Amino acid sequence: MATIQKAKMQDMDAILGIWLNASLQAHDFIPAAYWEKQLIPMRDLYLPLAENFVIKENQTVLGFASLLRSEAVLAALFIAPHQQGSGYGKCLIDFLKQQCDELHLNVYAENTAAVNFYRQQGFKIISQALDKNTGHAELSMTWSKP
């Protein structure tokens, strides 16, 4: 049985490993070097700004979600590549939906698996823009409690 809890310092290496591996797989349209360069800012800047939750089974981190609660922004949702499709992402989304009346996120348009996943979770596309860092189209999606 998977459990969701606030991430602890000892989860950080697993979180960063999942983030990098899943980013490389999901965003193969962006050079790998870009993601590798983002690892330190992810650790030192982005993760500390967010409330981070991990989903674990047998003490193993299988995925995580990062929430900027004040803006209701789902800043990150990543599942270990070999665990994708097992329902862990949906568990994390459902967990966050219980705490928030709305959620907003950005996702690369080319990451069709993620776009479809978020649509299945009730998110709607509200706008599209170019990500200034990569030059790739990014969709803004939102969900609100019925």
Side-chain angles (χ1 to χ4, degrees), residues 121-143:
Q121 307 314 310
F123 285 79
K124 307 263 186 276
I125 297 170
I126 51 170
S127 64
Q128 180 171 328
L130 281 187
D131 174 21
K132 64 185 183 311
N133 296 313
T134 63
H136 287 265
E138 214 175 33
L139 302 174
S140 291
M141 300 182 78
T142 191
W143 165 87

Side-chain angles (χ1 to χ4, degrees), residues 57-128:
E57 209 161 280
N58 302 322
Q59 303 306 309
T60 302
V61 177
L62 304 173
F64 74 97
S66 299
L67 177 67
L68 300 174
R69 193 177 291 271
S70 60
E71 301 143 53
V73 169
L74 178 57
L77 176 71
F78 288 92
I79 305 299
H82 66 284
Q83 296 289 348
Q84 290 175 6
S86 302
Y88 298 121
K90 182 180 182 342
C91 287
L92 282 164
I93 293 276
D94 289 345
F95 175 81
L96 295 174
K97 283 178 174 179
Q98 290 167 13
Q99 303 181 43
C100 303
D101 290 336
E102 57 184 44
L103 289 167
H104 310 282
L105 61 88
N106 290 328
V107 61
Y108 287 109
E110 289 163 274
N111 187 354
T112 52
V115 173
N116 291 334
F117 167 78
Y118 289 124
R119 279 193 162 132
Q120 288 166 356
Q121 307 314 310
F123 285 79
K124 307 263 186 276
I125 297 170
I126 51 170
S127 64
Q128 180 171 328

